[in-house]
Amino acid sequence: MTVDTNKTTGPADTPPAGPEAIKAIPVRHYGRYVSAVVAIALFVAIVYAFAQGNINWSAVPDYFFDDRIITGVWKTLLLTVLSMVIGIVGGILLAVMRLSRNPVTSTIAWFYIWFFRGTPVLVQLVVWFNLGLVFTYINLGPIYKDYWSSFMTPLLTALLGLGLNEAAYMAEICRAGLLSVDEGQTEASQALGMSHGRTLRRIVIPQAMRVIVPPTGNEVVNMLKTTSLVSVVQYPELFRYAQDIGQVSGAPVEMYFLAAAWYLILTSILSVGQYYIERYYARGSSRTLPPTPFQKIKANMLSLSGYRR
Amino acid sequence: MTSVEKTDGTSANAMVKSEGVHKSFGPVEVLKGIDLEVKSGEVFCLIGPSGSGKSTFLRCINHLEKVNAGRLYVDGELVGYRQKGDKLYELKDSEVALKRRDIGMVFQRFNLFPHMTALENVMEAPVQVKGSSKAQARERAGQLLERVGLADKAASYPSQLSGGQQQRVAIARALAMDPKLMLFDEPTSALDPELVGDVLDVMRDLAESGMTMIVVTHEMGFAREVGDSLVFMDGGVVVESGNPRDVLTNPQHERTQSFLSKVL
């Protein structure tokens, strides 16, 4: 079918004389002015209260880049990354198990999620720490044999405690993602002769990622903060170091503020990373990709300077 | 292929042979004994009201649905099972997948992979399933997109294409596996009326090249013009079959008459 694509084009040199633009007086929203003033006043009051309170603020910058704090930051990041890797790999595995047609694997996955999601992570950490009461030795035949207590280092305890707990949450997130992919996609790839595994890997998971990434970003931020619990298994990280410095330097509360500031910085960096991952998995899903923050700032600057398109 | 009778009794030139095929979804019996034969190289049209079981039958052919009773053969081989003596053995998933390679399918809702460009959609199965090299698959995909008139859309994502364009990419994707049989499940039902023509043109071109095609459709014009055989289904049974021109212009059965009077 050949369609004649000769469109009638208007004269290109003269811009079309559009209708006269409406010039009307906009509605005044007085309520907005009032609420803005109230909100600003409250904010200022809170900042003032903290600023003139009995807190030695100068102690915060003094210790901000202290060696122990920097070590703590790295350990916190290490814990976060490794626990999330355990959590994500375990989560995908559990999600696939739960969706499997094999009733045994799906039930086992169900029980795992039920248990690890149903008990506090702090309790799980302490249990891992004290598992030496149950297992005296770890014996992997000819490969490895040692006392449980020397095998279970604080780092390993912390990783298992956080990672296995996380896997239960990630499983539900991954399951939601897998279920969100249209069944037609599976059918189409099966009709092309693709195996189950390949369909999952090439077709379903890349599309599920769009649903999986935002809540996973949430989980990463949560994980970063939850790592502050692992001092109970004797693994020192940012919060523990800040606490230690606080007790020695005589500025305990100040060091909590310092730790809070570091956590904020780290979570902010992670959020930026999340934004770009989301952008990657959004390809093909919308006609134009959302702008990067840099592009947004540029656009805002232009609109502020009165530039209109 | 010689015209010798195969051991299972189907004649060698039958691409699809259905003997008393039944299919139920729970208590609902959708197919109540379908007997038909699709010859190699013919365009076989399935028409009928919605719920008549024509799409379900099509999906049984590449084992997307499991047949409950009866026998279904594609190119002389039983679909989904292996017969040894008088016992039937279910095929493994990998064996079913192997057979599906030879059967292309085009869906009503296109089902293109949205995270891949048109070209990547067409390349996917040859690379992943057949193990073709990427360069080879890319070249072939380019040719196929040109064949369906979309050479300039190779880099576009499905969301950037119109329904008609998406469906033509879907046809190219199915052709990339060099199937011996193509199944079309209402390929134009989800399209704007003015986009239907482009898709039918591609299908007509495909029919002329000698491809065996089974087409579930509401496009009576296409069936009359391109079809070699036509079957009218209703309530899970074949009501009437024959040459499309005869059935459409001079239906014998009362149910066919009333259906055609509504759609023509």
Side-chain angles (χ1 to χ4, degrees):
Chain A
M1 201 182 280
T2 48
V3 181
D4 202 356
T5 50
N6 270 339
K7 281 181 195 157
T8 49
T9 43
D13 44 1
T14 52
E20 198 189 337
I22 292 174
K23 283 179 196 140
I25 290 139
V27 177
R28 305 283 181 210
H29 298 278
Y30 297 106
R32 289 184 192 171
Y33 296 116
V34 175
S35 56
V37 167
V38 170
I40 289 171
L42 277 173
F43 180 71
V44 169
I46 290 168
V47 170
Y48 176 75
F50 271 86
Q52 63 99 64
N54 190 16
I55 292 170
N56 176 18
W57 288 110
S58 63
V60 175
D62 284 353
Y63 287 99
F64 206 74
F65 295 106
D66 188 282
D67 283 349
R68 284 164 292 180
I69 293 292
I70 299 298
T71 313
V73 166
W74 282 118
K75 285 189 168 182
T76 291
L77 276 176
L78 179 80
L79 262 183
T80 308
V81 170
L82 291 182
S83 314
M84 278 315 292
V85 168
I86 296 174
I88 289 170
V89 172
I92 292 172
L93 209 69
L94 284 166
V96 173
M97 280 171 76
R98 258 207 87 176
L99 293 172
S100 115
R101 270 171 284 180
N102 183 339
V104 178
T105 49
S106 68
T107 310
I108 288 174
W110 187 90
F111 268 104
Y112 181 97
I113 294 165
W114 170 76
F115 180 81
F116 280 92
R117 221 171 45 156
T119 51
V121 64
L122 186 58
V123 175
Q124 287 171 29
L125 280 168
V126 177
V127 168
W128 281 110
F129 190 57
N130 292 300
L131 222 52
L133 297 175
V134 185
F135 307 101
T136 323
Y137 297 103
I138 175 156
N139 189 350
L140 299 177
I143 312 162
Y144 188 86
K145 188 178 179 189
D146 205 345
Y147 284 106
W148 185 266
S149 51
S150 46
F151 163 72
M152 262 318 219
T153 59
L155 175 64
L156 194 60
T157 314
L159 284 180
L160 283 178
L162 295 176
L164 296 185
N165 178 70
E166 185 57 34
Y169 286 91
M170 283 307 302
E172 291 296 271
I173 291 172
C174 294
R175 193 167 67 96
L178 295 177
L179 289 176
S180 75
V181 179
D182 182 34
E183 243 178 308
Q185 294 290 312
T186 320
E187 272 182 6
S189 48
Q190 283 180 350
L192 286 167
M194 288 169 85
S195 64
H196 276 300
R198 221 177 275 276
T199 301
L200 202 62
R201 198 155 42 82
R202 295 283 308 170
I203 307 300
V204 177
I205 289 180
Q207 293 181 57
M209 287 307 277
R210 284 202 64 217
V211 175
I212 292 174
V213 169
T216 303
N218 234 351
E219 290 299 307
V220 175
V221 166
N222 247 327
M223 177 60 79
L224 188 98
K225 297 182 293 178
T226 310
T227 55
S228 60
L229 294 178
V230 303
S231 59
V232 298
V233 297
Q234 306 308 321
Y235 186 78
E237 35 60 67
L238 175 59
F239 183 68
R240 182 58 176 270
Y241 282 121
Q243 236 176 348
D244 288 352
I245 295 173
Q247 274 156 16
V248 179
S249 67
V253 183
E254 288 77 356
M255 290 305 111
Y256 291 144
F257 281 110
L258 184 150
W262 265 111
Y263 282 116
L264 255 179
I265 291 169
L266 295 177
T267 52
S268 307
I269 294 168
L270 291 175
S271 306
V272 173
Q274 179 189 346
Y275 184 86
Y276 281 93
I277 295 174
E278 274 179 38
R279 230 177 104 81
Y280 172 77
Y281 282 109
R283 73 196 193 284
S285 63
S286 51
R287 272 152 213 263
T288 50
L289 286 169
T292 61
F294 181 70
Q295 288 166 338
K296 257 189 211 165
I297 290 168
K298 214 166 112 185
N300 283 339
M301 299 289 267
L302 288 174
S303 72
L304 279 178
S305 62
Y307 174 83
R308 291 268 155 73
R309 281 207 300 160
Chain B
M1 215 178 274
T2 56
S3 59
V4 181
E5 290 266 307
K6 289 200 174 179
T7 46
D8 52 39
T10 57
S11 56
N13 69 342
M15 182 57 81
V16 176
K17 191 175 169 70
S18 170
E19 295 170 348
V21 165
H22 285 255
K23 171 70 191 172
S24 307
F25 292 109
V28 186
E29 198 175 21
V30 181
L31 298 178
K32 300 169 183 166
I34 303 288
D35 295 288
L36 53 81
E37 195 173 306
V38 180
K39 292 192 192 70
S40 196
E42 85 173 336
V43 176
F44 190 96
C45 296
L46 277 169
I47 63 167
S50 54
S52 60
K54 49 195 195 315
S55 286
T56 305
F57 179 70
L58 199 71
R59 292 160 58 82
C60 287
I61 295 174
N62 67 355
H63 208 48
L64 282 177
E65 304 291 353
K66 227 183 241 178
V67 171
N68 295 124
R71 295 282 188 276
L72 192 54
Y73 300 93
V74 172
D75 207 12
E77 288 178 40
L78 201 54
V79 173
Y81 303 94
R82 185 188 304 111
Q83 190 153 16
K84 260 190 197 163
D86 54 353
K87 273 189 186 149
L88 278 185
Y89 295 87
E90 237 179 85
L91 290 184
K92 282 186 274 183
D93 286 349
S94 56
E95 294 171 306
V96 173
L98 199 65
K99 292 196 170 181
R100 283 183 182 141
R101 289 184 188 193
D102 295 333
I103 306 172
M105 186 159 190
V106 175
F107 299 86
Q108 183 178 356
R109 303 284 334 161
F110 329 134
N111 293 351
L112 287 181
F113 306 133
H115 57 303
M116 299 180 185
T117 62
L119 192 77
E120 287 167 346
N121 263 280
V122 182
M123 285 169 61
E124 180 67 11
V127 172
Q128 294 294 325
V129 180
K130 270 191 181 167
S132 308
S133 76
K134 281 210 171 168
Q136 214 178 347
R138 186 174 293 118
E139 196 193 324
R140 173 106 171 93
Q143 288 165 359
L144 285 166
L145 285 178
E146 200 177 321
R147 182 171 172 186
V148 300
L150 291 171
D152 56 328
K153 297 289 181 189
S156 302
Y157 284 99
S159 62
Q160 296 164 327
L161 299 174
S162 74
Q165 291 170 334
Q166 287 188 53
Q167 194 60 297
R168 285 186 280 157
V169 173
I171 294 173
R173 179 176 70 174
L175 289 176
M177 290 299 284
D178 296 313
K180 55 190 177 194
L181 168 66
M182 284 282 283
L183 309 176
F184 292 86
D185 188 2
E186 302 195 22
T188 57
S189 296
L191 298 178
D192 286 347
E194 53 172 348
L195 301 176
V196 169
D198 293 342
V199 173
L200 292 183
D201 283 345
V202 169
M203 290 170 63
R204 194 172 291 128
D205 172 62
L206 196 58
E208 276 163 16
S209 74
M211 176 66 75
T212 314
M213 295 160 66
I214 305 179
V215 186
V216 172
T217 188
H218 293 298
E219 294 292 330
M220 300 306 160
F222 177 83
R224 184 168 19 214
E225 209 183 308
V226 184
D228 297 306
S229 314
L230 180 136
V231 155
F232 172 72
M233 281 177 68
D234 189 26
V237 293
V238 171
V239 176
E240 193 166 346
S241 63
N243 183 294
R245 282 155 289 274
D246 297 342
V247 178
L248 291 174
T249 46
N250 188 19
Q252 300 299 311
H253 201 281
E254 196 187 330
R255 184 69 190 89
T256 320
Q257 287 164 3
S258 77
F259 174 74
L260 289 175
S261 69
K262 278 175 204 151
V263 295
L264 284 178

